[in-house]
Each structure stands twice: as structure tokens, then as C-alpha cells.
mmCIF file of all heavy atoms in Angstrom:
data_model
loop_
_atom_site.group_PDB
_atom_site.id
_atom_site.type_symbol
_atom_site.label_atom_id
_atom_site.label_comp_id
_atom_site.label_asym_id
_atom_site.label_seq_id
_atom_site.Cartn_x
_atom_site.Cartn_y
_atom_site.Cartn_z
ATOM 1 N N GLY A 1 -12.347 -21.122 10.519
ATOM 2 C CA GLY A 1 -12.768 -20.396 11.732
ATOM 3 C C GLY A 1 -13.615 -19.154 11.457
ATOM 4 O O GLY A 1 -13.666 -18.677 10.321
ATOM 5 N N THR A 2 -14.361 -18.751 12.476
ATOM 6 C CA THR A 2 -15.238 -17.568 12.351
ATOM 7 C C THR A 2 -14.538 -16.282 12.779
ATOM 8 O O THR A 2 -13.969 -16.258 13.908
ATOM 9 C CB THR A 2 -16.536 -17.792 13.108
ATOM 10 O OG1 THR A 2 -17.244 -18.999 12.632
ATOM 11 C CG2 THR A 2 -17.438 -16.537 13.044
ATOM 12 N N LEU A 3 -14.585 -15.255 11.973
ATOM 13 C CA LEU A 3 -13.872 -14.045 12.263
ATOM 14 C C LEU A 3 -14.914 -13.176 13.077
ATOM 15 O O LEU A 3 -16.132 -13.260 12.829
ATOM 16 C CB LEU A 3 -13.457 -13.301 11.025
ATOM 17 C CG LEU A 3 -12.266 -14.027 10.336
ATOM 18 C CD1 LEU A 3 -12.147 -13.454 8.914
ATOM 19 C CD2 LEU A 3 -11.003 -13.693 11.101
ATOM 20 N N PRO A 4 -14.392 -12.321 13.995
ATOM 21 C CA PRO A 4 -15.329 -11.466 14.690
ATOM 22 C C PRO A 4 -15.939 -10.382 13.851
ATOM 23 O O PRO A 4 -15.361 -10.088 12.689
ATOM 24 C CB PRO A 4 -14.402 -10.784 15.797
ATOM 25 C CG PRO A 4 -13.057 -10.828 15.189
ATOM 26 C CD PRO A 4 -13.016 -12.097 14.363
ATOM 27 N N PRO A 5 -16.998 -9.720 14.259
ATOM 28 C CA PRO A 5 -17.568 -8.557 13.468
ATOM 29 C C PRO A 5 -16.450 -7.488 13.370
ATOM 30 O O PRO A 5 -15.729 -7.244 14.187
ATOM 31 C CB PRO A 5 -18.749 -8.117 14.241
ATOM 32 C CG PRO A 5 -19.049 -9.336 15.169
ATOM 33 C CD PRO A 5 -17.791 -10.012 15.439
ATOM 34 N N LYS A 6 -16.536 -6.769 12.276
ATOM 35 C CA LYS A 6 -15.657 -5.575 12.030
ATOM 36 C C LYS A 6 -14.224 -5.991 12.172
ATOM 37 O O LYS A 6 -13.400 -5.233 12.726
ATOM 38 C CB LYS A 6 -15.995 -4.425 12.949
ATOM 39 C CG LYS A 6 -17.436 -3.895 12.809
ATOM 40 C CD LYS A 6 -17.743 -2.742 13.734
ATOM 41 C CE LYS A 6 -19.124 -2.268 13.580
ATOM 42 N NZ LYS A 6 -19.465 -1.157 14.525
ATOM 43 N N ALA A 7 -13.860 -7.166 11.601
ATOM 44 C CA ALA A 7 -12.469 -7.568 11.644
ATOM 45 C C ALA A 7 -11.628 -6.708 10.677
ATOM 46 O O ALA A 7 -11.995 -6.595 9.484
ATOM 47 C CB ALA A 7 -12.305 -9.063 11.299
ATOM 48 N N ILE A 8 -10.568 -6.161 11.200
ATOM 49 C CA ILE A 8 -9.709 -5.251 10.379
ATOM 50 C C ILE A 8 -8.290 -5.622 10.563
ATOM 51 O O ILE A 8 -7.827 -5.925 11.652
ATOM 52 C CB ILE A 8 -9.912 -3.730 10.805
ATOM 53 C CG1 ILE A 8 -11.320 -3.305 10.715
ATOM 54 C CG2 ILE A 8 -8.919 -2.817 10.098
ATOM 55 C CD1 ILE A 8 -11.745 -2.959 9.262
ATOM 56 N N ALA A 9 -7.477 -5.579 9.450
ATOM 57 C CA ALA A 9 -6.034 -5.678 9.577
ATOM 58 C C ALA A 9 -5.413 -4.457 8.861
ATOM 59 O O ALA A 9 -5.930 -4.014 7.819
ATOM 60 C CB ALA A 9 -5.568 -6.971 8.936
ATOM 61 N N LEU A 10 -4.362 -3.911 9.477
ATOM 62 C CA LEU A 10 -3.655 -2.781 8.996
ATOM 63 C C LEU A 10 -2.329 -3.181 8.409
ATOM 64 O O LEU A 10 -1.570 -3.863 8.995
ATOM 65 C CB LEU A 10 -3.427 -1.719 10.089
ATOM 66 C CG LEU A 10 -4.716 -1.247 10.788
ATOM 67 C CD1 LEU A 10 -4.382 -0.398 11.956
ATOM 68 C CD2 LEU A 10 -5.657 -0.570 9.840
ATOM 69 N N THR A 11 -2.030 -2.729 7.135
ATOM 70 C CA THR A 11 -0.727 -3.120 6.493
ATOM 71 C C THR A 11 -0.165 -1.852 5.914
ATOM 72 O O THR A 11 -0.759 -0.847 5.683
ATOM 73 C CB THR A 11 -0.949 -4.134 5.350
ATOM 74 O OG1 THR A 11 -1.630 -3.520 4.269
ATOM 75 C CG2 THR A 11 -1.753 -5.380 5.823
ATOM 76 N N PHE A 12 1.202 -1.903 5.758
ATOM 77 C CA PHE A 12 2.030 -0.838 5.286
ATOM 78 C C PHE A 12 2.885 -1.362 4.165
ATOM 79 O O PHE A 12 3.534 -2.360 4.283
ATOM 80 C CB PHE A 12 2.812 -0.150 6.344
ATOM 81 C CG PHE A 12 1.974 0.474 7.471
ATOM 82 C CD1 PHE A 12 1.507 -0.271 8.503
ATOM 83 C CD2 PHE A 12 1.676 1.835 7.417
ATOM 84 C CE1 PHE A 12 0.673 0.260 9.468
ATOM 85 C CE2 PHE A 12 0.962 2.411 8.370
ATOM 86 C CZ PHE A 12 0.391 1.722 9.372
ATOM 87 N N GLU A 13 2.934 -0.623 3.064
ATOM 88 C CA GLU A 13 3.720 -0.997 1.923
ATOM 89 C C GLU A 13 5.122 -0.285 2.022
ATOM 90 O O GLU A 13 5.234 0.820 1.622
ATOM 91 C CB GLU A 13 2.955 -0.514 0.639
ATOM 92 C CG GLU A 13 3.247 -1.448 -0.540
ATOM 93 C CD GLU A 13 2.313 -2.631 -0.507
ATOM 94 O OE1 GLU A 13 1.767 -2.927 0.477
ATOM 95 O OE2 GLU A 13 2.261 -3.297 -1.576
ATOM 96 N N GLY A 14 6.004 -0.964 2.607
ATOM 97 C CA GLY A 14 7.318 -0.451 2.720
ATOM 98 C C GLY A 14 7.586 0.109 4.169
ATOM 99 O O GLY A 14 6.689 0.648 4.799
ATOM 100 N N ALA A 15 8.809 -0.108 4.624
ATOM 101 C CA ALA A 15 9.206 0.405 5.985
ATOM 102 C C ALA A 15 9.873 1.784 5.799
ATOM 103 O O ALA A 15 11.074 1.919 6.091
ATOM 104 C CB ALA A 15 10.173 -0.631 6.623
ATOM 105 N N SER A 16 9.040 2.754 5.538
ATOM 106 C CA SER A 16 9.557 4.077 5.291
ATOM 107 C C SER A 16 9.745 4.799 6.631
ATOM 108 O O SER A 16 9.091 4.496 7.677
ATOM 109 C CB SER A 16 8.649 4.846 4.505
ATOM 110 O OG SER A 16 7.436 5.157 5.189
ATOM 111 N N HIS A 17 10.665 5.719 6.601
ATOM 112 C CA HIS A 17 10.911 6.549 7.836
ATOM 113 C C HIS A 17 9.664 7.290 8.209
ATOM 114 O O HIS A 17 9.393 7.548 9.401
ATOM 115 C CB HIS A 17 12.068 7.560 7.595
ATOM 116 C CG HIS A 17 13.375 6.912 7.433
ATOM 117 N ND1 HIS A 17 14.038 6.118 8.429
ATOM 118 C CD2 HIS A 17 14.293 6.898 6.382
ATOM 119 C CE1 HIS A 17 15.150 5.651 7.989
ATOM 120 N NE2 HIS A 17 15.421 6.123 6.789
ATOM 121 N N SER A 18 8.917 7.818 7.219
ATOM 122 C CA SER A 18 7.696 8.623 7.617
ATOM 123 C C SER A 18 6.695 7.684 8.325
ATOM 124 O O SER A 18 6.004 8.147 9.242
ATOM 125 C CB SER A 18 7.156 9.201 6.346
ATOM 126 O OG SER A 18 6.680 8.182 5.448
ATOM 127 N N ASN A 19 6.531 6.457 7.835
ATOM 128 C CA ASN A 19 5.626 5.530 8.655
ATOM 129 C C ASN A 19 6.070 5.351 10.021
ATOM 130 O O ASN A 19 5.272 5.272 10.924
ATOM 131 C CB ASN A 19 5.433 4.310 7.824
ATOM 132 C CG ASN A 19 4.790 4.441 6.512
ATOM 133 O OD1 ASN A 19 4.100 5.459 6.270
ATOM 134 N ND2 ASN A 19 4.881 3.510 5.623
ATOM 135 N N ALA A 20 7.371 5.177 10.165
ATOM 136 C CA ALA A 20 7.968 4.900 11.536
ATOM 137 C C ALA A 20 7.810 6.071 12.394
ATOM 138 O O ALA A 20 7.622 5.952 13.670
ATOM 139 C CB ALA A 20 9.421 4.575 11.399
ATOM 140 N N ARG A 21 7.743 7.281 11.827
ATOM 141 C CA ARG A 21 7.610 8.525 12.625
ATOM 142 C C ARG A 21 6.186 8.883 12.972
ATOM 143 O O ARG A 21 5.829 9.197 14.105
ATOM 144 C CB ARG A 21 8.283 9.735 11.812
ATOM 145 C CG ARG A 21 8.203 11.048 12.608
ATOM 146 C CD ARG A 21 8.876 12.144 11.702
ATOM 147 N NE ARG A 21 10.203 11.807 11.238
ATOM 148 C CZ ARG A 21 10.442 11.710 9.923
ATOM 149 N NH1 ARG A 21 9.582 11.760 9.049
ATOM 150 N NH2 ARG A 21 11.752 11.356 9.616
ATOM 151 N N TYR A 22 5.216 8.753 11.982
ATOM 152 C CA TYR A 22 3.974 9.268 12.163
ATOM 153 C C TYR A 22 2.846 8.170 12.388
ATOM 154 O O TYR A 22 1.836 8.601 12.996
ATOM 155 C CB TYR A 22 3.519 10.063 10.959
ATOM 156 C CG TYR A 22 4.309 11.319 10.686
ATOM 157 C CD1 TYR A 22 5.125 11.447 9.589
ATOM 158 C CD2 TYR A 22 4.208 12.388 11.628
ATOM 159 C CE1 TYR A 22 5.825 12.636 9.341
ATOM 160 C CE2 TYR A 22 4.995 13.544 11.403
ATOM 161 C CZ TYR A 22 5.807 13.615 10.223
ATOM 162 O OH TYR A 22 6.479 14.808 10.110
ATOM 163 N N ALA A 23 3.106 6.988 12.050
ATOM 164 C CA ALA A 23 2.030 5.981 12.085
ATOM 165 C C ALA A 23 2.155 4.930 13.162
ATOM 166 O O ALA A 23 1.334 4.750 14.002
ATOM 167 C CB ALA A 23 1.854 5.323 10.692
ATOM 168 N N TRP A 24 3.324 4.265 13.066
ATOM 169 C CA TRP A 24 3.513 3.073 13.938
ATOM 170 C C TRP A 24 3.480 3.361 15.430
ATOM 171 O O TRP A 24 2.895 2.587 16.261
ATOM 172 C CB TRP A 24 4.794 2.357 13.582
ATOM 173 C CG TRP A 24 4.778 1.880 12.180
ATOM 174 C CD1 TRP A 24 3.655 1.743 11.331
ATOM 175 C CD2 TRP A 24 5.920 1.622 11.318
ATOM 176 N NE1 TRP A 24 4.074 1.339 10.073
ATOM 177 C CE2 TRP A 24 5.387 1.321 10.077
ATOM 178 C CE3 TRP A 24 7.361 1.651 11.565
ATOM 179 C CZ2 TRP A 24 6.279 0.984 9.019
ATOM 180 C CZ3 TRP A 24 8.204 1.269 10.526
ATOM 181 C CH2 TRP A 24 7.609 0.912 9.224
ATOM 182 N N PRO A 25 3.982 4.546 15.932
ATOM 183 C CA PRO A 25 3.870 4.831 17.374
ATOM 184 C C PRO A 25 2.413 4.860 17.843
ATOM 185 O O PRO A 25 2.113 4.444 19.014
ATOM 186 C CB PRO A 25 4.541 6.218 17.520
ATOM 187 C CG PRO A 25 5.561 6.262 16.396
ATOM 188 C CD PRO A 25 4.853 5.514 15.275
ATOM 189 N N LEU A 26 1.503 5.371 17.026
ATOM 190 C CA LEU A 26 0.119 5.476 17.378
ATOM 191 C C LEU A 26 -0.470 4.061 17.588
ATOM 192 O O LEU A 26 -1.272 3.811 18.527
ATOM 193 C CB LEU A 26 -0.675 6.185 16.367
ATOM 194 C CG LEU A 26 -0.383 7.690 16.147
ATOM 195 C CD1 LEU A 26 -1.322 8.256 15.113
ATOM 196 C CD2 LEU A 26 -0.434 8.439 17.379
ATOM 197 N N LEU A 27 -0.102 3.152 16.731
ATOM 198 C CA LEU A 27 -0.570 1.766 16.777
ATOM 199 C C LEU A 27 0.001 1.056 17.978
ATOM 200 O O LEU A 27 -0.692 0.280 18.626
ATOM 201 C CB LEU A 27 -0.311 0.984 15.448
ATOM 202 C CG LEU A 27 -0.898 1.714 14.252
ATOM 203 C CD1 LEU A 27 -0.515 0.887 12.953
ATOM 204 C CD2 LEU A 27 -2.458 1.863 14.301
ATOM 205 N N ILE A 28 1.245 1.276 18.216
ATOM 206 C CA ILE A 28 1.970 0.559 19.268
ATOM 207 C C ILE A 28 1.456 1.012 20.602
ATOM 208 O O ILE A 28 1.191 0.243 21.516
ATOM 209 C CB ILE A 28 3.467 0.786 19.203
ATOM 210 C CG1 ILE A 28 4.061 0.086 17.969
ATOM 211 C CG2 ILE A 28 4.244 0.348 20.457
ATOM 212 C CD1 ILE A 28 5.537 0.438 17.631
ATOM 213 N N ASP A 29 1.104 2.338 20.698
ATOM 214 C CA ASP A 29 0.465 2.846 21.978
ATOM 215 C C ASP A 29 -0.846 2.160 22.228
ATOM 216 O O ASP A 29 -1.216 2.006 23.418
ATOM 217 C CB ASP A 29 0.279 4.394 21.882
ATOM 218 C CG ASP A 29 1.663 5.156 22.006
ATOM 219 O OD1 ASP A 29 2.606 4.508 22.443
ATOM 220 O OD2 ASP A 29 1.668 6.351 21.594
ATOM 221 N N ARG A 30 -1.585 1.900 21.228
ATOM 222 C CA ARG A 30 -2.945 1.278 21.352
ATOM 223 C C ARG A 30 -2.813 -0.249 21.451
ATOM 224 O O ARG A 30 -3.776 -0.955 21.686
ATOM 225 C CB ARG A 30 -3.826 1.582 20.200
ATOM 226 C CG ARG A 30 -4.267 3.081 20.215
ATOM 227 C CD ARG A 30 -5.305 3.309 19.053
ATOM 228 N NE ARG A 30 -5.764 4.641 19.038
ATOM 229 C CZ ARG A 30 -6.850 5.111 19.682
ATOM 230 N NH1 ARG A 30 -7.560 4.192 20.341
ATOM 231 N NH2 ARG A 30 -7.302 6.344 19.593
ATOM 232 N N LYS A 31 -1.596 -0.734 21.276
ATOM 233 C CA LYS A 31 -1.317 -2.267 21.321
ATOM 234 C C LYS A 31 -2.146 -2.817 20.103
ATOM 235 O O LYS A 31 -2.526 -4.017 20.244
ATOM 236 C CB LYS A 31 -1.720 -2.845 22.618
ATOM 237 C CG LYS A 31 -0.872 -2.356 23.826
ATOM 238 C CD LYS A 31 -1.279 -3.056 25.110
ATOM 239 C CE LYS A 31 -0.244 -2.705 26.232
ATOM 240 N NZ LYS A 31 -0.182 -1.237 26.462
ATOM 241 N N TRP A 32 -2.227 -2.171 19.033
ATOM 242 C CA TRP A 32 -2.810 -2.744 17.830
ATOM 243 C C TRP A 32 -1.794 -3.399 16.908
ATOM 244 O O TRP A 32 -0.768 -2.776 16.619
ATOM 245 C CB TRP A 32 -3.554 -1.577 17.029
ATOM 246 C CG TRP A 32 -4.834 -1.130 17.621
ATOM 247 C CD1 TRP A 32 -5.380 -1.605 18.791
ATOM 248 C CD2 TRP A 32 -5.712 -0.212 17.100
ATOM 249 N NE1 TRP A 32 -6.646 -1.067 19.010
ATOM 250 C CE2 TRP A 32 -6.830 -0.088 17.977
ATOM 251 C CE3 TRP A 32 -5.692 0.602 15.935
ATOM 252 C CZ2 TRP A 32 -7.847 0.768 17.768
ATOM 253 C CZ3 TRP A 32 -6.745 1.502 15.755
ATOM 254 C CH2 TRP A 32 -7.813 1.489 16.594
ATOM 255 N N PRO A 33 -2.045 -4.567 16.434
ATOM 256 C CA PRO A 33 -1.059 -5.218 15.547
ATOM 257 C C PRO A 33 -1.091 -4.675 14.130
ATOM 258 O O PRO A 33 -2.133 -4.125 13.691
ATOM 259 C CB PRO A 33 -1.591 -6.683 15.557
ATOM 260 C CG PRO A 33 -3.027 -6.614 15.800
ATOM 261 C CD PRO A 33 -3.213 -5.484 16.739
#
């Protein structure tokens, strides 16, 4: 399949409390996977 321009995936190494506090809420608010 053909990917769209500027295709980006975001990953996190480990389910840390700090990521849950500072990062994931911003992505969930934007509905970004």
C-alpha cells in the first residue's frame, strides 16, 4: 500500500508514570494514535 505524505508514528519505550502524566493526555485530546 501507499503511505500518505509526512506519515508519522509516535512510540513510547515503557509505560512510565511521567509519560502518562505529561504526554499521553495531549495525544488523546488530539485523537492521535
Side-chain angles (χ1 to χ4, degrees):
T2 299
L3 292 164
K6 300 181 181 180
I8 299 281
L10 304 174
T11 70
F12 295 85
E13 212 80 346
S16 70
H17 291 301
S18 62
N19 293 342
R21 181 181 306 114
Y22 295 115
W24 302 338
L26 298 181
L27 302 179
I28 292 170
D29 285 346
R30 289 182 178 269
K31 298 181 172 57
W32 283 3

